[in-house]
Amino acid sequence: MDCPKNSFLFTISCTILLLSYNNGGFVYAATNIGLNYGLLGDNLPPPFEVINLYKSLNITNIRIFDTNTDVLNAFRGNRDIGVIVGVKNEDLEALAVSENAVNTWFMTNIEPYLADVNITFITVGNEVIPGEIGSHVLPVMESLTNVVKSRSLPILISTTVAMTNLGQSYPPSTAEFTTQALNIYPYFAYASDPVNIPLDYAVFNTDAVVVQDGPLGYSNMFDVIFDAFVWAMEKEGVKDLPMVVTETGLSSAGNGNLTTPYIASMYNGNFVKHAESGKGTPKRPDSGINGFLFATFNENQKPAGTEQNFGLYYPTDMKPVYKLF
Ligand SMILES: *[C@@H]1O[C@H](CO)[C@@H](O)[C@H](O)[C@H]1NC(C)=O
Ligand SMILES: *[C@@H]1O[C@H](CO)[C@@H](O)[C@H](O)[C@H]1NC(C)=O
Ligand SMILES: *[C@@H]1O[C@H](CO)[C@@H](O)[C@H](O)[C@H]1NC(C)=O
């Protein structure tokens, strides 16, 4: 398929990269790196402080998982920051019933912010295809696509899929949409088999080819997962679909020596370098990687263990959990 050249992905990959490092923690500023802003904590700083943090880091792409009123109100007037919002999984079934239901959702949850907030994407459900409620995603995406098209709004409609979908047949109708959002966590594959999977390969810490796939050589697991997805989509007839990595990251605690601040800083730091280099993957060498690190803060209302420790910052004092280098 042909991909519209006005897509978010195209825009950000053609923006000049502004990336800087210093020794004081996470101080990147890259237009193709975004941060997930998760809200599952009872000790998180108020949204305006979080926005000031993003500004101090020159982060211009943020993702939230729903259409949280407090957060979106705080983003008013900060149109230089693009915000991805989401339709919650639990709302999908009711919205799939009719285009009217989706219109009402849009008028309630998106319309009030359009004038002041730079909403770039609406993700419809998070990691629900394939699955019980997966069938509701496409009708809701179609209705939302109609809404934004009829209004000529520059908002892209997508859903996010997990890397566990590899090997499952992919809905070919995705080809109707402009961008695919994908969550990639090499950590889970690594943690499931740390004896056989080299750590350096899991955290982008080697240039040596670890996996050879025909003419394509891979030195990191992220690229393998990304390209596996590209191959899977091509098998469904979907070519050249821009991809946004909506989540990637590594926890800094909760699973012994597999989740340390040091390993997390290597993974996240090397991911940023990979994105900053402008290089793509072996299969898509010219595309570049656009991605959102997961997540801004440690979130104490997520399941105990690794899940609570994906944050780059502590919520209570907003200090970095680790230096990225
Ligand atoms: C953010 O951008 C401004 C203006 O380009 C620059 O002066 C500043 O050093 C950048 N901050 C970081 C943390 O990169
Ligand atoms: C909205 O955010 C996107 C992504 O960061 C950016 O490319 C675009 O320039 C922003 N729009 C405005 C009006 O600043
Ligand atoms: C974790 O500890 C085990 C047992 O001591 C060791 O074999 C393994 O190499 C360690 N892994 C890492 C990533 O440090």
Side-chain angles (χ1 to χ4, degrees), residues 125-199:
N126 191 33
E127 300 190 345
V128 293
I129 296 176
E132 254 174 62
I133 56 171
S135 62
H136 302 313
V137 169
L138 288 177
V140 178
M141 284 177 73
E142 274 158 358
S143 299
L144 276 174
T145 302
N146 292 341
V147 177
V148 299
K149 272 192 185 156
S150 69
R151 306 269 305 268
S152 301
L153 296 169
I155 299 176
L156 296 176
I157 310 300
S158 192
T159 184
T160 65
V161 295
M163 63 187 197
T164 45
N165 283 346
L166 296 176
Q168 312 266 358
S169 76
Y170 199 78
S173 44
T174 308
E176 288 174 36
F177 304 107
T178 50
T179 303
Q180 181 59 56
L182 178 64
N183 297 344
I184 297 184
Y185 288 100
Y187 163 74
F188 293 113
Y190 168 65
S192 71
D193 191 7
V195 172
N196 292 308
I197 298 177
L199 177 64

Side-chain angles (χ1 to χ4, degrees), residues 86-109:
V87 176
K88 288 187 281 192
N89 292 347
E90 59 262 39
D91 292 342
L92 291 174
E93 188 170 2
L95 293 178
V97 170
S98 70
E99 207 155 299
N100 257 348
V102 171
N103 280 333
T104 304
W105 181 90
F106 188 91
M107 292 310 287
T108 311
N109 296 287

Side-chain angles (χ1 to χ4, degrees), residues 107-129:
M107 292 310 287
T108 311
N109 296 287
I110 303 293
E111 179 73 30
Y113 307 103
L114 284 179
D116 308 317
V117 182
N118 181 2
I119 295 174
T120 49
F121 261 93
I122 301 172
T123 57
V124 177
N126 191 33
E127 300 190 345
V128 293
I129 296 176

Side-chain angles (χ1 to χ4, degrees), residues 121-313:
F121 261 93
I122 301 172
T123 57
V124 177
N126 191 33
E127 300 190 345
V128 293
I129 296 176
E132 254 174 62
I133 56 171
S135 62
H136 302 313
V137 169
L138 288 177
V140 178
M141 284 177 73
E142 274 158 358
S143 299
L144 276 174
T145 302
N146 292 341
V147 177
V148 299
K149 272 192 185 156
S150 69
R151 306 269 305 268
S152 301
L153 296 169
I155 299 176
L156 296 176
I157 310 300
S158 192
T159 184
T160 65
V161 295
M163 63 187 197
T164 45
N165 283 346
L166 296 176
Q168 312 266 358
S169 76
Y170 199 78
S173 44
T174 308
E176 288 174 36
F177 304 107
T178 50
T179 303
Q180 181 59 56
L182 178 64
N183 297 344
I184 297 184
Y185 288 100
Y187 163 74
F188 293 113
Y190 168 65
S192 71
D193 191 7
V195 172
N196 292 308
I197 298 177
L199 177 64
D200 281 348
Y201 163 73
V203 301
F204 309 88
N205 211 31
T206 175
D207 292 327
V209 169
V210 176
V211 170
Q212 187 70 44
D213 182 15
L216 307 179
Y218 291 86
S219 60
N220 69 75
M221 198 193 282
F222 175 93
D223 284 353
V224 169
I225 297 170
F226 188 102
D227 280 359
F229 203 83
V230 175
W231 282 112
M233 286 194 299
E234 284 187 4
K235 283 184 190 138
E236 298 293 340
V238 185
K239 283 213 163 106
D240 302 327
L241 190 65
M243 301 225 284
V244 173
V245 180
T246 30
E247 291 177 31
T248 191
L250 206 153
S251 178
S252 64
N255 189 14
N257 67 355
L258 302 186
T259 49
T260 62
Y262 177 68
I263 292 177
S265 73
M266 271 203 295
Y267 180 81
N268 286 324
N270 286 331
F271 174 74
V272 172
K273 279 187 186 163
H274 187 9
E276 183 258 358
S277 75
K279 278 191 243 155
T281 60
K283 183 158 168 55
R284 282 190 170 180
D286 304 321
S287 295
I289 301 285
N290 298 285
F292 287 72
L293 287 175
F294 188 90
T296 308
F297 297 108
N298 283 341
E299 293 169 70
N300 67 0
Q301 292 172 324
K302 300 198 84 173
T306 53
E307 290 281 326
Q308 293 190 354
N309 294 292
F310 272 84
L312 301 172
Y313 290 88

